[in-house]
């Protein structure tokens, strides 16, 4: 149980407005919003000039446990997440062994219990052979089913049409897809290999993992969802063309939603010469014009959710040639800060960033009592100083892999404090040891109806 705490004179950014007020926390929840005397013995935090945001709920991370823990684990990566203002995460199934059964899912929840700084949920992976596991998912056992409709890191891939049809018609939970057409990519790899050998320049990655491959696969996912009335969330959209598949406007009535990731909104193909394999990821970072289209789509509510796709690999792994260097980059510590930097540059409003990183995620997945600054909600909160800045240095990184594509950047704004279930976990530039023993992350609750 956390101690009482009051944040006074903060600017609460919530549900489209910015309101100067106080927020009082009791027993891990928001007890009262508005000026009133803090409870006797409560800790009082003066927040003048600072924004209070609902913590980011990141619907796409790879924390690598079990089996790949040399890259990251639930303890290290959740600590980096709270430093970056992420208070809840939903974690992907491409670990070892892959999360393909309800038993493997429960094993992950048990690993996270008492070790995660942030609140957590896990996806069940789809394969050609686990339809029964998908069918039998009870609400709350998984945040969704992850369907790799294109192969990426790991060996999860669903390419048989009959299996896709069955998943889309029967999944009781949200279907989250990775969309890239694998046969098209394999053909491109063979052509590029014939030209360059194994040592293909990293700047060729978006030509190999091509925009046509993205559009073909995203189009297939959307048509399956329409035909079966399935709840579909297409992850990490990267091209201007794909955006036409999604409706602009409020998310509430949408059966099909779309996500963009922080790195696709920040980097572009112009960055391959400088960063090379460090920004190799799937789907690939594409043209500056694609990035601009994604930003526009965020602002017109065609992109509903912004996530990270945090996918750490070691520096040694990234040092290999094109086919050796794995795809993915660590992002949770700076994704929200990169969006707040864009707010300072007038790209988005801070209210929009809060909606895409918190409210919309809670709504889409049916997360219970989180994602808003409302009385009764869990106190998952982020105190931001918009006047300060964050210098991304190697020493400040909390990832087990110990590198970041943002190294050297100075991001406008700073996260002064993160609270998870009312417990301060990040303050004064460091992760706080848990006062009462275990880190405060809890299993997320869901109320999702197909
Ligand atoms: O770049 C990526 N890395 N994309 C994925 O889909 C998987 C991820 C990983 O797990 O490394």
């Amino acid at each position: 149980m956390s101690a009482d705490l009051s944040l006074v004179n903060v600017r609460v950014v919530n549900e489209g407005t910015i309101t100067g007020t106080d927020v009082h926390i009791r027993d891990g929840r928001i007890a009262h919003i508005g000026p009133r005397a803090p409870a006797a013995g409560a800790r009082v935090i003066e927040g003048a000039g600072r924004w209070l945001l609902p913590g980011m709920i990141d619907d796409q991370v790879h924390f690598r446990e079990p089996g790949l823990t040399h890259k990251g684990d639930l303890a290290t990566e959740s600590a980096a997440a709270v430093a970056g203002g992420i208070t809840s995460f939903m974690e992907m199934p491409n670990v070892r062994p892959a999360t393909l059964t309800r038993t493997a899912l429960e094993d992950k929840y048990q690993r996270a219990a008492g070790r995660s700084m942030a609140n957590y949920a896990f996806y069940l992976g789809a394969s050609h052979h686990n339809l029964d596991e998908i069918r039998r998912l009870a609400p709350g056992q998984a945040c969704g089913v992850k369907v790799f409709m294109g192969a990426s890191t790991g060996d999860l891939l669903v390419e048989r049409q009959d299996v896709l049809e069955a998943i889309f018609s029967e999944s009781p939970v949200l279907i989250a897809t990775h969309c890239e057409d694998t046969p098209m990519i394999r053909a491109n790899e063979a052509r590029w290999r014939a030209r360059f050998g194994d040592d293909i320049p990293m700047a060729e990655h978006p030509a190999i993992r091509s925009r046509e491959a993205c559009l073909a696969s995203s189009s297939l996912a959307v048509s399956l969802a329409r035909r079966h009335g399935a709840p579909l969330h297409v992850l990490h959209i990267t091209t201007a063309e794909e955006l036409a598949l999604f409706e602009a406007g409020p998310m509430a009535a949408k059966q099909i939603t779309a996500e963009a990731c922080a790195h696709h909104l920040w980097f572009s193909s112009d960055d391959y010469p400088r960063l090379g394999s460090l920004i190799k990821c799937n789907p690939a970072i594409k043209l500056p014009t694609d990035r601009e289209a994604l930003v526009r789509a965020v602002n017109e509510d065609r992109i509903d959710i912004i996530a990270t796709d945090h996918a750490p690999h070691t520096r040694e792994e990234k040092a290999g040639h094109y086919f050796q260097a794995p795809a993915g980059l660590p992002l949770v510590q700076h994704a929200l800060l990169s969006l707040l930097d864009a707010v300072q540059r007038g790209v988005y409003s801070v209210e929009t960033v809060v909606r895409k990183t918190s409210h919309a995620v809670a709504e889409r997945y049916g997360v219970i009592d989180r994602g808003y600054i409302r009385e009764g909600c869990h106190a998952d909160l982020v105190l931001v100083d918009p006047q300060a800045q964050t210098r991304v240095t190697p020493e400040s990184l909390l990832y087990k892999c110990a590198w970041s594509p943002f190294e050297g950047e100075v991001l406008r704004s700073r996260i002064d404090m993160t609270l998870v279930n009312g417990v301060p976990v990040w303050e004064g530039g460091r992760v706080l040891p848990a006062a009462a023993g275990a880190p405060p992350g809890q299993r997320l609750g869901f109320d999702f109806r197909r």
Side-chain angles (χ1 to χ4, degrees), residues 149-218:
M149 290 178 63
S152 188
T153 305
D155 49 15
L156 290 177
L157 175 64
V158 181
E159 49 187 352
R160 267 175 42 197
Q161 185 72 18
D162 59 325
V163 176
L164 288 171
E165 301 279 353
I167 294 169
F168 277 70
S169 82
E170 296 188 50
S171 170
V173 297
L174 186 67
I175 299 165
T177 55
H178 177 122
C179 289
E180 288 184 292
D181 186 275
T182 299
M184 287 166 88
I185 292 168
R186 295 281 178 262
N188 287 344
E189 283 175 349
R191 281 168 57 208
W192 264 257
R193 193 177 240 138
R195 188 162 150 219
F196 291 102
D198 281 346
D199 207 4
I200 299 173
M202 294 297 167
E204 299 297 320
H205 190 52
I208 295 170
R209 290 245 162 197
S210 68
R211 52 196 318 114
E212 293 79 13
C214 292
L215 182 61
S217 180
S218 296

Side-chain angles (χ1 to χ4, degrees), residues 62 64 94 146 148 152-153 178 236 280-283 309 311 313 327-328:
H62 302 264
R64 309 303 195 196
N94 57 336
K146 169 70 181 283
F148 280 92
S152 188
T153 305
H178 177 122
H236 43 41
K280 181 188 182 210
C281 59
N282 301 336
D309 197 9
H313 298 284

Side-chain angles (χ1 to χ4, degrees), residues 270-321:
D270 291 348
D271 295 304
Y272 287 110
R274 182 171 63 92
L275 292 167
S277 69
L278 298 185
I279 57 163
K280 181 188 182 210
C281 59
N282 301 336
I285 289 165
K286 299 196 173 62
L287 297 171
T289 46
D290 291 305
R291 178 180 55 190
E292 283 155 27
L294 290 173
V295 166
R296 264 198 311 280
V298 167
N299 281 322
E300 64 188 22
D301 290 340
R302 201 178 287 282
I303 291 290
D304 302 289
I305 285 173
I306 303 177
T308 70
D309 197 9
H310 174 81
H313 298 284
T314 66
R315 268 193 183 280
E316 296 68 38
E317 290 166 335
K318 280 287 199 181
H321 65 59

